[in-house]
Amino acid sequence: MLVWLAELSGTFPVLNVFRYITFRAGGATATALLFVFFFGPAAISWLRIKQGKGQPIRTDGPESHLAKRGTPTMGGLMIMSGLFAAVLLWGNLRNPYVWIVLGVTAAYGAIGFYDDYLKVTKQSHKGFSGKARIAIEVVVALIACYFIMQIQPPAISSGFAMPFLKEAIIPLGILFPLVTAFVVVGAGNSVNLTDGLDGLAIVPVMIAAGTFGFISYLVGNAIFANYLQLHHIPGAGELAVVCGAVIGAGLGFLWFNAPPAQIFMGDTGSLGLGGLLGTIAVATKHEIVLAIVGGLFVVEALSVIIQVAVYKRTGKRVFLMAPIHHHFEKLGWTEPQVVIRFWIISVVLALVGLSTLKLR
């Protein structure tokens, strides 16, 4: 909303700063942080009263988790509120990428909210039907990816870009929405599976958001994109403001989610944030880089897939418990050790992902 001030820059030159994506990204970060930080306590108190027993705790999990019984969930509502408030205030609302990303985030967040609601009200881990949930996620992702294809330059709109190779692009044609929808759905559910320990998911999400905020800024700038041999995507730079808002809201939430957590993110936040990252990756033509930067999420998802597949086939378990962060808890790692070590891995993966940009 503040972008309109930039239009007055001819009369008031000082207002020209509102034209700069970097300035507005910083403003979005600060706004989201302060929003979540100041309204967080009231939201937690309200959710604790409404939910009563809070999120049900797995009885087959690590014994240390039983002490978390009664902790409220749906903390994603705090993140989403700060995120949307910041983007609506600082973002360029004439930019279609902003609305596509916010649309996927809201839709996936709503799916997660319904799942959380069922779990809390029924005090059961069986929330929303898995098949129905995935089906809705796929439809939302297909619509988003179709619109992204329509607004991008024709030369690259339906292609799958490859890291390090600017000219090499895999033409997908009408299959583009289907292939890229898999990225969005996969990202949403991978982040969702990672959210199992206090602070475990939100920091890697912020790291990925920071990385893609940088990537968005570069590909949206013709000069930088050409110099770094990246595909130039007009308008994509505005997504840096969205990523800034994610970082701010994430930092505010981490204040309350740090061990021992006062509130859990829940599917409301993890599914919404994962969908956001996946959509930005598709919009910036860096889907493969997301698999690198979000490698922790990929491993968490693969651990579940492998565990289920092998158990159904042989009756044996590959991991002591899946997702893999529980495996390390079973090995004797304390929760803070698992969380902080996974954070370190996320930082390393982000640096590896950035190396694909040919920074020189």
Side-chain angles (χ1 to χ4, degrees), residues 28-87:
T29 302
T31 299
L33 169 61
L34 293 174
F35 187 98
V36 177
F37 184 78
F38 285 114
F39 290 102
I44 293 172
S45 297
W46 182 77
L47 288 170
R48 181 177 289 112
I49 293 172
K50 290 294 183 180
Q51 295 178 8
K53 296 181 179 180
Q55 178 173 299
I57 305 298
R58 290 177 61 173
T59 56
D60 61 339
E63 294 183 3
S64 59
H65 287 212
L66 297 178
K68 301 181 181 184
R69 185 176 287 112
T71 304
T73 186
M74 297 184 186
L77 291 174
M78 296 163 54
I79 302 173
M80 296 299 166
S81 297
L83 166 64
F84 276 75
V87 173

Side-chain angles (χ1 to χ4, degrees), residues 91-323:
N92 181 359
L93 303 185
R94 298 172 184 171
N95 187 298
Y97 287 111
V98 171
W99 288 110
I100 292 172
V101 171
L102 290 184
V104 173
T105 305
Y108 275 40
I111 296 170
F113 175 83
Y114 183 59
D115 195 48
D116 286 334
Y117 175 79
L118 293 177
K119 291 176 181 177
V120 170
T121 54
K122 296 181 178 180
Q123 280 298 295
S124 170
H125 292 288
K126 296 180 179 180
F128 196 9
S129 166
K131 293 182 179 179
R133 170 174 159 166
I134 292 295
I136 298 174
E137 291 174 15
V138 169
V139 171
V140 172
L142 284 171
I143 295 172
C145 293
Y146 172 79
F147 279 114
I148 289 175
M149 182 175 68
Q150 295 303 308
I151 64 177
Q152 291 194 329
I156 62 173
S157 63
S158 60
F160 200 82
M162 303 296 291
F164 297 112
L165 304 172
K166 180 179 180 180
E167 303 303 326
I169 189 166
I170 302 174
L172 298 176
I174 59 174
L175 294 178
F176 177 82
L178 184 62
V179 174
T180 50
F182 174 79
V183 175
V184 178
V185 174
N189 287 281
S190 296
V191 175
N192 181 231
L193 290 171
T194 306
D195 182 35
L197 301 177
D198 298 349
L200 177 59
I202 191 60
V203 171
V205 164
M206 288 191 290
I207 292 171
T211 304
F212 272 90
F214 184 53
I215 291 173
S216 299
Y217 181 75
L218 293 177
V219 300
N221 185 296
I223 297 175
F224 290 152
N226 183 64
Y227 179 71
L228 297 172
Q229 299 182 36
L230 303 172
H231 293 288
H232 172 50
I233 304 172
E238 196 64 28
L239 293 175
V241 178
V242 178
C243 291
V246 172
I247 295 172
L251 285 171
F253 177 73
L254 182 61
W255 183 270
F256 305 104
N257 187 236
Q262 296 174 250
I263 189 168
F264 299 140
M265 184 190 299
D267 292 5
T268 308
S270 58
L271 199 59
L273 291 174
L276 177 147
L277 291 174
T279 308
I280 291 178
V282 173
T284 57
K285 293 295 179 183
H286 278 73
E287 300 92 343
I288 295 177
V289 174
L290 175 62
I292 300 172
V293 174
L296 177 65
F297 306 133
V298 175
V299 171
E300 292 274 14
L302 285 176
S303 70
V304 174
I305 294 172
I306 293 171
Q307 184 87 321
V308 173
V310 173
Y311 184 77
K312 285 185 175 180
R313 187 175 182 84
T314 67
K316 298 180 180 180
R317 290 180 171 83
V318 177
F319 305 102
L320 297 177
M321 187 176 179

Side-chain angles (χ1 to χ4, degrees), residues 324-344:
I324 199 169
H325 54 261
H326 290 314
H327 171 78
F328 288 107
E329 282 192 290
K330 291 284 191 178
L331 286 177
W333 291 18
T334 64
E335 184 169 339
Q337 283 179 319
V338 176
V339 171
I340 294 175
R341 286 170 180 173
F342 277 34
W343 289 354
I344 294 172

